[in-house]
Amino acid sequence: MKKMNLVIALVTGLFAFGLMSFEPNTKKDQKTQIQAKRISFRIKGTGSKGITVKIGVGSQIGSGSCCSSVSPMTTAGFSGEVGHVVYDSERKRIITKIYEEMEGQVIDLKSYY
């Protein structure tokens, strides 16, 4: 019992002098946000295959920004964070993972369908 009272008194003292708190570590959160790099790229439709694809961009299928249709004869601009995926939201299929070297490139959906 004496040990428990001593621990309670010690923890209370640490809080009182500001040496211990329950506040989140915002420096760590800021570092994580800085590391997330956003990449811009374009997606070209399937062409003569005639397939319209509903594109989503997020950390996994069904998350993030959904859905922008890319018609067979169009090219549309997208952006996403490195490590996220570009997916077909209707077919529940990952088209590609986003990586830094993808900046400014064109993904041709004809290669995937």
Side-chain angles (χ1 to χ4, degrees):
M1 188 66 176
K2 287 183 182 181
K3 283 186 180 182
M4 182 63 106
N5 289 337
L6 181 61
V7 170
I8 292 171
L10 181 62
V11 170
T12 304
L14 290 173
F15 279 113
F17 287 106
L19 299 175
M20 189 174 179
S21 71
F22 284 119
E23 294 179 25
N25 186 352
T26 55
K27 289 180 184 178
K28 184 177 181 182
D29 295 339
Q30 289 171 352
K31 185 178 179 183
T32 304
Q33 290 173 356
I34 292 170
Q35 290 177 347
K37 185 172 181 183
R38 197 146 190 87
I39 302 297
S40 295
F41 52 93
R42 297 176 59 83
I43 298 179
K44 183 178 178 183
T46 59
S48 60
K49 293 184 179 183
I51 302 168
T52 297
V53 182
K54 283 192 177 179
I55 298 292
V57 179
S59 59
Q60 62 185 354
I61 294 175
S63 70
S65 173
C66 180
C67 300
S68 297
S69 292
V70 178
S71 299
M73 300 300 178
T74 62
T75 301
F78 291 87
S79 67
E81 293 181 13
V82 172
H84 284 192
V85 294
V86 176
Y87 60 90
D88 179 334
S89 65
E90 287 184 334
R91 294 167 186 85
K92 306 292 186 220
R93 177 179 168 202
I94 293 176
I95 295 170
T96 188
K97 188 171 183 175
I98 299 173
Y99 51 95
E100 282 192 52
E101 293 78 15
M102 218 169 130
E103 178 72 46
Q105 290 192 3
V106 177
I107 298 170
D108 190 352
L109 292 177
K110 191 184 271 189
S111 304
Y112 296 89
Y113 292 90

Short mmCIF file of all heavy atoms in Angstrom, two decimals, residues 2 5 7-8 11-12 17-18 26 33 39 43 51 54 68-69 73 79 81 86-87 90 96-97 106 110:
data_model
loop_
_atom_site.label_atom_id
_atom_site.label_comp_id
_atom_site.label_asym_id
_atom_site.label_seq_id
_atom_site.Cartn_x
_atom_site.Cartn_y
_atom_site.Cartn_z
N LYS A 2 1.98 1.21 0.78
CA LYS A 2 2.86 2.36 0.85
C LYS A 2 3.52 2.61 -0.51
O LYS A 2 3.70 3.75 -0.92
CB LYS A 2 3.92 2.15 1.93
CG LYS A 2 3.39 2.26 3.33
CD LYS A 2 4.51 2.12 4.33
CE LYS A 2 3.97 2.19 5.75
NZ LYS A 2 5.02 2.08 6.75
N ASN A 5 1.00 4.36 -2.82
CA ASN A 5 0.89 5.78 -2.47
C ASN A 5 2.11 6.55 -2.95
O ASN A 5 2.00 7.69 -3.40
CB ASN A 5 0.71 5.96 -0.96
CG ASN A 5 -0.67 5.52 -0.50
OD1 ASN A 5 -1.61 5.47 -1.28
ND2 ASN A 5 -0.79 5.20 0.78
N VAL A 7 4.03 5.80 -5.58
CA VAL A 7 3.93 5.91 -7.04
C VAL A 7 2.94 7.00 -7.42
O VAL A 7 3.22 7.83 -8.30
CB VAL A 7 3.53 4.54 -7.67
CG1 VAL A 7 3.19 4.71 -9.15
CG2 VAL A 7 4.63 3.53 -7.49
N ILE A 8 1.81 7.04 -6.78
CA ILE A 8 0.80 8.07 -7.05
C ILE A 8 1.36 9.45 -6.76
O ILE A 8 1.20 10.38 -7.55
CB ILE A 8 -0.50 7.80 -6.27
CG1 ILE A 8 -1.18 6.54 -6.81
CG2 ILE A 8 -1.45 8.99 -6.35
CD1 ILE A 8 -2.35 6.06 -5.98
N VAL A 11 3.97 10.36 -9.58
CA VAL A 11 3.31 10.71 -10.85
C VAL A 11 2.64 12.07 -10.73
O VAL A 11 2.76 12.92 -11.62
CB VAL A 11 2.30 9.61 -11.27
CG1 VAL A 11 1.45 10.08 -12.45
CG2 VAL A 11 3.03 8.33 -11.62
N THR A 12 1.96 12.33 -9.62
CA THR A 12 1.32 13.63 -9.41
C THR A 12 2.36 14.74 -9.41
O THR A 12 2.14 15.80 -10.00
CB THR A 12 0.55 13.63 -8.07
OG1 THR A 12 -0.38 12.54 -8.08
CG2 THR A 12 -0.20 14.92 -7.86
N PHE A 17 5.06 19.50 -12.01
CA PHE A 17 6.24 20.23 -12.48
C PHE A 17 6.35 20.25 -14.01
O PHE A 17 7.31 20.77 -14.57
CB PHE A 17 7.52 19.63 -11.87
CG PHE A 17 7.66 19.95 -10.41
CD1 PHE A 17 7.44 18.98 -9.45
CD2 PHE A 17 8.00 21.23 -10.00
CE1 PHE A 17 7.57 19.28 -8.10
CE2 PHE A 17 8.13 21.53 -8.66
CZ PHE A 17 7.91 20.56 -7.71
N GLY A 18 5.39 19.66 -14.71
CA GLY A 18 5.39 19.69 -16.16
C GLY A 18 6.38 18.74 -16.81
O GLY A 18 6.73 18.88 -17.98
N THR A 26 3.54 16.38 -31.18
CA THR A 26 3.24 17.07 -32.44
C THR A 26 4.45 17.13 -33.36
O THR A 26 4.29 17.18 -34.57
CB THR A 26 2.70 18.49 -32.20
OG1 THR A 26 3.63 19.19 -31.39
CG2 THR A 26 1.35 18.45 -31.51
N GLN A 33 3.89 14.29 -41.73
CA GLN A 33 3.22 15.06 -42.76
C GLN A 33 4.21 15.58 -43.79
O GLN A 33 3.90 15.64 -44.97
CB GLN A 33 2.45 16.22 -42.14
CG GLN A 33 1.25 15.78 -41.35
CD GLN A 33 0.59 16.93 -40.60
OE1 GLN A 33 1.09 18.04 -40.63
NE2 GLN A 33 -0.50 16.64 -39.94
N ILE A 39 2.45 13.58 -55.82
CA ILE A 39 2.91 13.41 -57.20
C ILE A 39 1.75 13.69 -58.15
O ILE A 39 0.63 13.23 -57.93
CB ILE A 39 3.40 11.94 -57.41
CG1 ILE A 39 4.54 11.60 -56.44
CG2 ILE A 39 3.83 11.71 -58.84
CD1 ILE A 39 5.79 12.42 -56.60
N ILE A 43 -3.54 10.12 -66.74
CA ILE A 43 -4.01 8.78 -67.11
C ILE A 43 -4.73 8.89 -68.45
O ILE A 43 -5.66 9.68 -68.60
CB ILE A 43 -4.93 8.18 -66.03
CG1 ILE A 43 -4.16 8.03 -64.72
CG2 ILE A 43 -5.50 6.84 -66.50
CD1 ILE A 43 -4.96 7.46 -63.57
N ILE A 51 -13.24 0.96 -73.23
CA ILE A 51 -13.62 0.74 -71.83
C ILE A 51 -13.46 2.05 -71.05
O ILE A 51 -12.39 2.65 -71.04
CB ILE A 51 -12.73 -0.35 -71.19
CG1 ILE A 51 -12.83 -1.66 -71.97
CG2 ILE A 51 -13.10 -0.55 -69.73
CD1 ILE A 51 -11.78 -2.69 -71.58
N LYS A 54 -13.41 3.97 -64.03
CA LYS A 54 -13.59 4.88 -62.89
C LYS A 54 -12.36 4.75 -62.00
O LYS A 54 -12.12 3.71 -61.39
CB LYS A 54 -14.85 4.54 -62.10
CG LYS A 54 -16.11 5.02 -62.78
CD LYS A 54 -17.29 4.92 -61.85
CE LYS A 54 -18.53 5.48 -62.52
NZ LYS A 54 -19.70 5.39 -61.64
N SER A 68 -13.18 9.32 -60.55
CA SER A 68 -13.17 10.12 -61.76
C SER A 68 -13.13 9.19 -62.94
O SER A 68 -12.25 8.34 -63.03
CB SER A 68 -11.96 11.04 -61.79
OG SER A 68 -12.00 11.96 -60.72
N SER A 69 -14.08 9.32 -63.84
CA SER A 69 -14.13 8.45 -65.01
C SER A 69 -13.16 8.93 -66.07
O SER A 69 -13.06 10.12 -66.35
CB SER A 69 -15.54 8.43 -65.60
OG SER A 69 -16.42 7.79 -64.72
N MET A 73 -11.15 7.73 -75.06
CA MET A 73 -10.33 8.61 -75.89
C MET A 73 -9.85 9.87 -75.17
O MET A 73 -9.48 10.85 -75.80
CB MET A 73 -11.11 9.02 -77.15
CG MET A 73 -11.53 7.87 -78.02
SD MET A 73 -10.06 6.98 -78.60
CE MET A 73 -10.86 5.68 -79.53
N SER A 79 -3.48 13.33 -59.02
CA SER A 79 -2.35 13.46 -58.10
C SER A 79 -2.60 12.56 -56.90
O SER A 79 -3.75 12.22 -56.59
CB SER A 79 -2.16 14.91 -57.65
OG SER A 79 -3.24 15.33 -56.85
N GLU A 81 -0.36 10.71 -53.14
CA GLU A 81 0.83 10.63 -52.31
C GLU A 81 1.65 9.39 -52.65
O GLU A 81 1.10 8.35 -52.99
CB GLU A 81 0.43 10.59 -50.83
CG GLU A 81 -0.20 11.88 -50.37
CD GLU A 81 -0.57 11.86 -48.90
OE1 GLU A 81 -0.13 10.94 -48.17
OE2 GLU A 81 -1.31 12.75 -48.48
N VAL A 86 -3.31 3.76 -57.38
CA VAL A 86 -4.32 4.16 -58.36
C VAL A 86 -5.11 2.90 -58.62
O VAL A 86 -4.54 1.86 -58.92
CB VAL A 86 -3.65 4.67 -59.66
CG1 VAL A 86 -4.70 4.99 -60.71
CG2 VAL A 86 -2.78 5.87 -59.38
N TYR A 87 -6.46 2.98 -58.50
CA TYR A 87 -7.25 1.77 -58.64
C TYR A 87 -8.49 1.98 -59.49
O TYR A 87 -8.96 3.10 -59.67
CB TYR A 87 -7.64 1.20 -57.27
CG TYR A 87 -8.47 2.14 -56.41
CD1 TYR A 87 -9.86 2.12 -56.47
CD2 TYR A 87 -7.87 3.02 -55.53
CE1 TYR A 87 -10.63 2.98 -55.68
CE2 TYR A 87 -8.63 3.88 -54.74
CZ TYR A 87 -10.00 3.85 -54.83
OH TYR A 87 -10.77 4.69 -54.06
N GLU A 90 -14.62 0.24 -59.98
CA GLU A 90 -15.70 -0.69 -60.33
C GLU A 90 -15.22 -2.14 -60.29
O GLU A 90 -15.93 -3.02 -59.84
CB GLU A 90 -16.25 -0.37 -61.71
CG GLU A 90 -17.10 0.89 -61.72
CD GLU A 90 -17.73 1.14 -63.08
OE1 GLU A 90 -17.19 0.70 -64.12
OE2 GLU A 90 -18.79 1.79 -63.09
N THR A 96 -1.79 0.75 -60.40
CA THR A 96 -0.37 0.95 -60.11
C THR A 96 -0.21 1.59 -58.74
O THR A 96 -1.14 2.17 -58.19
CB THR A 96 0.31 1.85 -61.18
OG1 THR A 96 1.72 1.88 -60.95
CG2 THR A 96 -0.24 3.26 -61.16
N LYS A 97 0.97 1.46 -58.21
CA LYS A 97 1.33 2.13 -56.96
C LYS A 97 2.03 3.44 -57.34
O LYS A 97 2.75 3.50 -58.34
CB LYS A 97 2.28 1.24 -56.14
CG LYS A 97 2.55 1.75 -54.77
CD LYS A 97 3.31 0.72 -53.95
CE LYS A 97 3.50 1.24 -52.54
NZ LYS A 97 4.14 0.23 -51.70
N VAL A 106 2.60 9.69 -68.01
CA VAL A 106 1.26 9.31 -68.48
C VAL A 106 1.12 7.80 -68.33
O VAL A 106 1.94 7.04 -68.82
CB VAL A 106 1.05 9.72 -69.96
CG1 VAL A 106 -0.32 9.25 -70.43
CG2 VAL A 106 1.19 11.22 -70.12
N LYS A 110 -4.60 1.39 -71.79
CA LYS A 110 -4.63 0.34 -72.82
C LYS A 110 -3.73 -0.83 -72.43
O LYS A 110 -4.01 -1.99 -72.73
CB LYS A 110 -4.20 0.92 -74.17
CG LYS A 110 -4.45 -0.03 -75.32
CD LYS A 110 -3.92 0.55 -76.62
CE LYS A 110 -5.01 1.38 -77.26
NZ LYS A 110 -4.63 1.82 -78.64
#
